[in-house]
Amino acid sequence: MGKSTPVKQAAVVLGALAFGWMAIEMAFKPLLDKARSAMDNSDPDRDPDDIDSDVKTKDVVEGNKGSPDRKPISYADAVAKNTAGA
């Protein structure tokens, strides 16, 4: 075949990595699509654990059973309430 040069070795390694990546993407496509969709729909500024624990603590102290003002139905509703000044 000929001499193996560092450039040929690098090309073979990069080709093998690209092929491996493509094989993994194709094999786990449904799982990866769901994970990427969930990450796209999530809000990085909102930590659900902090918000839920604050609501539960406040509801226990005030005797409320889940005030609708504290728990917006969706992110869009929360944005609408925030822009409306509620």
Side-chain angles (χ1 to χ4, degrees), residues 60-74:
V60 168
V61 170
E62 294 179 0
N64 296 335
K65 298 268 184 181
S67 171
D69 292 335
R70 293 284 296 158
K71 293 183 189 176
I73 295 172
S74 68

Side-chain angles (χ1 to χ4, degrees), residues 16-67:
L17 287 173
F19 180 77
W21 181 275
M22 191 171 59
I24 289 172
E25 286 282 335
M26 289 173 55
F28 295 107
K29 183 170 178 47
L31 180 66
L32 292 172
D33 285 345
K34 285 182 185 177
R36 289 177 180 143
S37 175
M39 287 178 10
D40 288 342
N41 291 335
S42 69
D43 181 14
D45 295 330
R46 179 180 166 267
D47 185 5
D49 294 333
D50 290 344
I51 292 173
D52 289 344
S53 65
D54 290 345
V55 170
K56 289 176 187 171
T57 305
K58 186 174 181 184
D59 289 342
V60 168
V61 170
E62 294 179 0
N64 296 335
K65 298 268 184 181
S67 171

